[in-house]
Structures are given as C-alpha cells and as structure tokens.
Amino acid sequence: MYRVKLLSWNAPSSLPSLSWLREKGVEVVVDPGYPGISEEDLIRKVEGFDGVMCGVEPFTRKVIFSLPQLKSIARTGVGFDAIDLEAAEEKNVIVTTTPGANKHAVADHTIAFMIMLAHRFPENTKVVSEGKWVRMVGKDVYAKTLGIIGVGNIGKEVAKRAVGFGMKLLGFDIVFDNDFANRVGLTYVKLDELLSHSDFITLHVPHYDLTHHIVGENELALAKPEAYLINTARGGVVDEIALHRALIEKRLTGAALDVMENEPDFNSPLMALENVIWTPHVAGITTESRLACLEVACHNSWAVLSGQGEYYQVKPGSIG
C-alpha cells in the first residue's frame, strides 16, 4: 500500500478525490501544512510517506534528501518555486503540478484587482468607513489597454474576460498562440512595447531564473505614469524595491499584489503605500479551484506511484 500525505488543507477526508485515491488502495493522511513551516517540521510530517500533495511548503534539498521513502511531490497548484527541482531529479522524486486547475480563480481575481484599482475601491471604502462622504474619482476600465505578461492558461483567461470590457489586448510570451490571439484580438509585442503602451499591466508567468524580476527598474521606467501593475503570479517576478520607487515617485499610479518575494513581509515599504492593494496569496484559492487542484493532484500522485496513467511533470529548466 502506498502512503500519501496531504498538506496545506483543512479538508474533510470524505472528499470524492480523496475517496477515489483510497479506493486504489492508497492510505491518505490529511495534515494541514504551513507556508512558513521549518525544514525540520516538514521532514517530520512527511517522513514515512511515499508521496505528498502540498501547497507552498519548502521542499529544499535538505528536506528531499531526508525523506528516503518519498517518490512523488504533487503540487496542488501551478507554481513550483518552493521545490528544489534539481535535488528532486537527483533523488528520482517526480514533481507534478496542476496546470489550468485554478486558472479561472486567478483570472477572476486579476479582473477584480483591475476594477478596484481603476475605481479606487480602497480609498472610497476608507473615507466612508471614517464617516466621510468624499468621492474619490476613478477611471474607466472600458476601452483601456491591457498588457498581459505570460499568455498561458491564466493569461488567456484574463484576456477572454477583458474582451467584455472592450479592452485592447497586448501580450508578451516566448510562445505564440496565434489562433487564440486572432480569436480574442490580442497582439503579441515585445516587452518594452507592452510596458510603454498599457494602462494595466498584469503578470502571469512562473518564477524561475529567466523571469526573476522580469519587471524591474528599467521595465518600470517604460510604463506610463497613469498605469497600474497587477501581480497574481509570484513575488519574485517583480522587483519590489523598484516598484516602491516607481510608486512614490509617481511614475506609476498604483499596484495590486497577491504575492510577495518573501511571504509574509509586513516590513516591506510597499505595505505603507495607500495606492497598493494587497491580498494574501489567495488569488488561486476558491472552493472550486481547490477541489479541481486536489482532483488533479490525486490523479498525479496515483499515476506516479503506480506507474499507471499520465501526469504533468516539471523538471529543472521548466517554465510552467
């Protein structure tokens, strides 16, 4: 019998996907993990298990090589930057993700951020809660230009939603899907052109060496002063120091961030700015997306451990 531990979930054991896995003869143990869990505690939680389904727990080289029985790490999401892929490959531990399973949740969150920024929801909510009836006048989203950095599963969903707002769509990616672009009216451009022409800039790329600080000082210098930046991807794809500088120097009007380079960092200077909207890395987490991610992760775990079925594996050098 295989043993699999599910971390990061306060999930009832009766969920259909977990029941399906148990019907295959797999022992499944639900154990809430913690984003800030230590290596030692993580080793203790996963020791003796063949597989783990996890969120953003840090599967470092030390953790991976301290778990001799581990064969499978199944992420219940699309990011894998908390996992040392090279160490996993050396130890023959297969790492899988659930691409597309939370794309609707993240896309909805992105559009919500866009509307909140444009209509100045935080400022208007604040003045009313303070007993004032002062109108903070915002801007239309309709007919503005949206720049999408990373036109993959999530970026495409954002683009499809933006069509309903009559937006002009610009996209930057290393892979072109021309059929999709033609259907929604998206134009692929170079990054500098996207940055200099967009009213809203949104990121949907994984975080790895080539995308680290893909939006930094030089890139932000190209943005229009009236533009907004939205990041629901990973904190490391934006240089937070450069972003803070651009905002306080009014070279950018505002930002909405669901992620940070170091989570949580309540000492970040960005936290003090009134033109920054925050959510706690929750864009991809809805009731529906959690169930969808878990279902795919269960199938991935079974496929890896049993050798039966297909799974989405990530390796060193993967871009998502």
Side-chain angles (χ1 to χ4, degrees), residues 126-319:
K126 181 181 178 182
V127 295
V128 175
S129 67
E130 292 174 346
K132 304 172 185 176
W133 201 254
V134 180
R135 293 168 178 166
M136 303 292 183
V137 179
K139 301 176 182 178
D140 284 346
V141 171
Y142 177 76
K144 294 297 192 296
T145 299
L146 174 63
I148 303 172
I149 302 175
V151 192
N153 285 318
I154 296 171
K156 287 177 179 176
E157 290 300 323
V158 172
K160 287 191 285 186
R161 286 158 174 74
V163 169
F165 291 94
M167 303 187 83
K168 178 180 179 181
L169 303 176
L170 303 179
F172 171 78
D173 209 315
I174 59 175
V175 177
F176 291 0
D177 185 340
N178 292 314
D179 288 340
F180 173 82
N182 291 334
R183 287 200 304 273
V184 301
L186 179 142
T187 302
Y188 285 104
V189 294
K190 294 182 178 179
L191 183 57
D192 57 354
E193 185 176 349
L194 181 150
L195 292 163
S196 61
H197 287 86
S198 296
D199 299 297
F200 298 89
I201 301 161
T202 181
L203 293 105
H204 302 287
V205 293
H207 181 221
Y208 69 119
D209 289 346
L210 293 181
T211 60
H212 182 69
H213 289 182
I214 190 172
V215 173
E217 187 70 50
N218 294 334
E219 290 73 26
L220 290 168
L222 299 172
K224 299 193 293 186
E226 61 269 26
Y228 301 92
L229 183 134
I230 299 168
N231 186 10
T232 55
R234 284 293 188 270
V237 300
V238 174
D239 183 338
E240 294 178 357
I241 295 175
L243 175 60
H244 178 262
R245 186 178 299 116
L247 288 166
I248 62 173
E249 293 177 358
K250 302 188 183 304
R251 291 184 284 110
L252 201 66
T253 295
L257 308 171
D258 183 55
V259 289
M260 309 179 77
E261 286 205 61
N262 299 295
E263 298 179 354
D265 180 8
F266 295 110
N267 294 317
S268 168
L270 286 167
M271 297 290 283
L273 301 185
E274 293 187 356
N275 55 346
V276 178
I277 300 173
W278 288 99
T279 51
H281 203 152
V282 73
I285 304 175
T286 62
T287 300
E288 294 83 358
S289 71
R290 282 166 66 92
L291 293 174
C293 286
L294 181 57
E295 181 176 356
V296 177
C298 284
H299 282 268
N300 284 341
S301 297
W302 171 250
V304 171
L305 294 176
S306 69
Q308 302 175 32
E310 298 180 353
Y311 50 84
Y312 188 87
Q313 182 178 4
V314 290
K315 296 181 177 182
S318 295
I319 60 172

Side-chain angles (χ1 to χ4, degrees), residues 73-131:
I73 300 174
R75 275 280 287 111
T76 54
V78 295
F80 47 84
D81 47 313
I83 302 171
D84 189 325
L85 295 179
E86 291 184 355
E89 186 171 61
E90 289 175 28
K91 195 174 173 292
N92 295 317
V93 175
I94 294 178
V95 179
T96 61
T97 62
T98 61
N102 65 355
K103 63 183 180 181
H104 295 297
V106 180
D108 288 351
H109 202 96
T110 300
I111 295 297
F113 266 164
M114 187 167 63
I115 296 172
M116 290 175 71
L117 286 168
H119 285 263
R120 301 180 68 179
F121 270 48
E123 297 102 314
N124 279 304
T125 298
K126 181 181 178 182
V127 295
V128 175
S129 67
E130 292 174 346

